Amino acid sequence: MGKQRVLSGVQPTGNYHLGNYLGAIRNWVEGQSQYENFLFVADLHAITVPHDPAKLAENTYTLVALYLACGLDLEYSTIFVQSHIPAHSELTWLFNCITPLNWLERMIQFKEKAVKQGENVNVGLLDYPVLMAADILLYDPDKVPVGEDQKQHLELTRDIAIRLNDQFGTPDKPVLKLPEPLIRKEGARVMSLTDGTRKMSKSDPSELSRINLLDSPEDIQKKIKRCKTDVTKGLWFDDPERPECNNLLTLYMLLSLKTKEAVAAECKDMGWGQFKPLLTETTIEALKPIQQKYQAVMEDKGYVESVMRQGREKAEAIASSTLLKVKTAMGYSMPF
Ligand code: AQP
């Protein structure tokens, strides 16, 4: 039996942060040799919120370079850009026509982002989970690594696949395979530095809320120095009254690669004055090799482009074959 296939992506919306790394990219890197990995830059998703055209291409390059800098290895992983493969958009349309509107209206992320966009909420934002279903199902993956926040979207993907199989397949010959979620417990959710109850996010207007992967040591120091804490003495995990404390200890655990027990023992009698410099130093050291590799990769734009080209070729072959399968099942024919 061959390796199981996994698929995941990040939107090229800039400000790539510790949440994206610890909740997604680092996990892909750690598991990459066990799987056949398809990892993409979700640039069609990136325009569901207002975007700057001048930044889209730059952010796409940056993200491909960061994937490589974080340790994705082309021997195990195919890295590609979503918009380079038209099958994503085409399959989305086919799925749109079998997806009930109320499935999309109840998506939590839609409701949250729609509130932020006010009257300007666009159809793309509502349709985002259908595009995500197309992204996933085109590649027939066995597993999809998702953060807690994306679980509902993966369930919708499975519902769309079931509906399509019911309508256009037969029980012994389904058109699409149902993917399973791959959720890691620790670090599944990294929280904001300014509010331990909200997730760290690229679109938070406050730069102080997140540590970006490309932040300078001075910026990291400044952000940790100013991050929200509390007045309680001693530091411990999992206290619902102390979300910031739990988040900062978790960050230290994930970045230092120590166990939860070791961190709990090391920090139990510490005050913030002692802990913050420790977290600062650990964060700077953990990000240093990524930043160095990123600089080296970005010096060779031709290399980044060759990675995208190679990725497109491999991904397109699989995507167009799935698209053809779906179109044939739905009754489309191409007699020439
Ligand atoms: N705070 C987080 N903790 C853990 N994982 C996170 N991810 C994002 N934030 C955290 C994971 O990163 C991957 C890529 O996310 P995305 O770019 O597709 O969009 P997102 O989840 O909406 O990320 P952001 O940073 O919160 O962006 P904005 O602010 O634009 O919405 C996903 O696997 C996600 O789980």
Side-chain angles (χ1 to χ4, degrees):
M1 232 178 68
K3 286 181 182 175
Q4 288 198 322
R5 185 178 292 165
V6 300
L7 175 124
S8 200
V10 174
Q11 299 178 65
T13 37
N15 294 335
Y16 309 112
H17 53 73
L18 280 180
N20 300 133
Y21 178 58
L22 299 170
I25 305 172
R26 191 170 85 172
N27 296 327
W28 309 343
V29 171
E30 281 171 3
Q32 67 179 329
S33 63
Q34 299 172 48
Y35 297 108
E36 183 193 6
N37 310 277
F38 282 79
L39 302 165
F40 67 102
V41 174
D43 59 346
L44 295 174
H45 287 279
I47 64 164
T48 54
V49 291
H51 82 288
D52 176 357
K55 286 266 170 69
L56 187 60
E58 185 190 317
N59 286 336
T60 298
Y61 264 88
T62 305
L63 188 53
V64 171
L66 268 176
Y67 280 177
L68 295 164
C70 289
L72 286 181
D73 182 338
L74 298 180
E75 192 182 333
Y76 309 115
S77 300
T78 300
I79 297 174
F80 66 97
V81 178
Q82 185 186 29
S83 68
H84 294 176
I85 302 183
H88 289 252
S89 306
E90 197 173 344
L91 188 61
T92 300
W93 178 254
L94 302 178
F95 284 171
N96 274 339
C97 297
I98 62 156
T99 305
L101 185 59
N102 65 9
W103 286 8
L104 303 180
E105 285 169 336
R106 61 171 187 244
M107 291 289 120
I108 295 161
Q109 209 177 65
F110 169 70
K111 288 193 213 160
E112 285 174 359
K113 291 201 172 175
V115 170
K116 279 194 207 159
Q117 285 195 22
E119 284 181 5
N120 292 324
V121 57
N122 64 54
V123 177
L125 193 65
L126 179 71
D127 208 25
Y128 178 112
V130 181
L131 175 59
M132 187 168 153
D135 298 335
I136 294 171
L137 295 168
L138 274 175
Y139 297 93
D140 245 0
D142 301 281
K143 300 245 167 79
V144 182
V146 281
E148 280 292 331
D149 53 335
Q150 295 284 353
K151 250 167 87 178
Q152 198 189 23
H153 289 167
L154 186 65
E155 278 157 23
L156 185 96
T157 296
R158 289 170 55 90
D159 288 342
I160 290 175
I162 291 169
R163 199 170 168 94
L164 190 120
N165 288 340
D166 283 350
Q167 287 186 14
F168 304 110
T170 56
D172 54 328
K173 213 169 167 230
V175 186
L176 295 165
K177 186 164 84 191
L178 298 192
E180 299 292 333
L182 186 64
I183 296 178
R184 273 110 177 165
K185 274 202 203 101
E186 281 169 353
R189 214 163 149 82
V190 173
M191 310 312 279
S192 158
L193 293 186
T194 46
D195 178 352
T197 61
R198 291 203 345 248
K199 76 165 195 161
M200 188 176 282
S201 148
K202 299 193 216 96
S203 58
D204 192 315
S206 167
E207 266 297 323
L208 291 175
S209 69
R210 67 184 156 261
I211 294 178
N212 294 328
L213 299 181
L214 299 173
D215 273 348
S216 66
E218 295 72 35
D219 281 341
I220 294 172
Q221 187 178 34
K222 183 177 82 187
K223 289 177 180 181
I224 294 179
K225 206 168 175 183
R226 297 219 202 141
C227 75
K228 187 172 174 199
T229 53
D230 52 28
V231 290
T232 311
K233 273 223 136 146
L235 307 177
W236 53 86
F237 284 103
D238 300 324
D239 184 340
E241 303 289 311
R242 304 185 72 195
E244 285 79 21
C245 180
N246 187 59
N247 186 42
L248 296 172
L249 284 178
T250 304
L251 276 180
Y252 176 57
M253 172 185 79
L254 293 169
L255 292 168
S256 66
L257 304 175
K258 292 179 181 172
T259 62
K260 190 170 178 178
E261 293 69 34
V263 170
E266 182 184 354
C267 303
K268 70 178 182 345
D269 299 321
M270 279 188 192
W272 292 113
Q274 198 183 350
F275 177 75
K276 281 187 171 184
L278 182 65
L279 178 62
T280 304
E281 201 46 42
T282 306
T283 308
I284 293 170
E285 284 309 307
L287 293 184
K288 199 189 276 173
I290 295 174
Q291 296 182 349
Q292 284 168 346
K293 181 126 192 253
Y294 172 81
Q295 296 306 341
V297 172
M298 282 303 262
E299 269 166 32
D300 189 354
K301 244 185 153 185
Y303 173 63
V304 178
E305 278 165 9
S306 77
V307 170
M308 291 186 198
R309 197 174 318 114
Q310 217 177 301
R312 189 192 71 198
E313 280 164 16
K314 267 184 84 176
E316 187 148 47
I318 298 171
S320 44
S321 127
T322 310
L323 180 65
L324 183 64
K325 206 159 68 167
V326 174
K327 285 177 80 173
T328 307
M330 289 179 81
Y332 288 95
S333 70
M334 188 126 53
F336 45 83

